[in-house]
């Protein structure tokens, strides 16, 4: 069913009682800044190492080795990119 162009727009604003109790609430007010920090980077290296160790197990064919290596490489590339981004962030 197509939307009628002449219909009134949906009201996407917050309810008045919510606005009254939460006037200007932002995630940074209660401690969330959108970044996991060092724990995520350490976990990324651990996961990449586990994926590479899993290559040593027996596979029916080399398809598993290919995907394990590809995912480990993608994680390692992302971690190296993140390190370079953080190292050079002050220069911009």
């Amino acid at each position: 069913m197509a939307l009628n162009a002449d219909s009134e727009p949906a009201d996407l604003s917050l309810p008045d009682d919510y606005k009254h109790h939460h006037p200007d609430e932002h995630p940074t007010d209660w401690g969330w800044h959108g970044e996991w920090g060092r724990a995520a980077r350490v976990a990324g290296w651990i996961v990449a190492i586990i994926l590479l160790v899993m290559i040593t197990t027996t596979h029916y064919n080399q398809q598993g080795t290919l995907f394990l290596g590809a995912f480990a490489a993608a994680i390692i590339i992302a971690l190296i990119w993140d390190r370079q981004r953080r190292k050079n962030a002050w220069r911009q």
Side-chain angles (χ1 to χ4, degrees):
M1 172 180 219
L3 294 176
N4 184 359
D6 297 325
S7 66
E8 65 182 59
D11 182 18
L12 300 177
S13 64
L14 296 172
D16 290 331
D17 60 341
Y18 184 85
K19 288 182 199 175
H20 177 70
H21 294 295
H22 306 89
D24 290 322
E25 185 175 274
H26 299 285
T28 55
D29 295 339
W30 42 268
W32 175 253
H33 297 286
E35 187 172 326
W36 285 93
R38 186 172 186 223
R41 292 186 291 275
V42 170
W45 285 109
I46 290 171
V47 168
I49 290 169
I50 289 171
L51 289 174
L52 292 174
V53 169
M54 287 174 65
I55 291 176
T56 63
T57 62
T58 305
H59 297 286
Y60 177 72
N61 56 20
Q62 295 304 316
Q63 187 89 18
T65 304
L66 174 72
F67 278 97
L68 288 170
F71 283 118
I75 291 172
I76 290 171
I77 288 170
L79 289 168
I80 291 171
W81 173 80
D82 181 59
R83 176 180 287 171
Q84 291 298 325
R85 181 187 60 85
R86 285 182 296 109
K87 185 172 96 172
N88 295 328
W90 64 273
R91 295 180 187 172
Q92 295 180 352

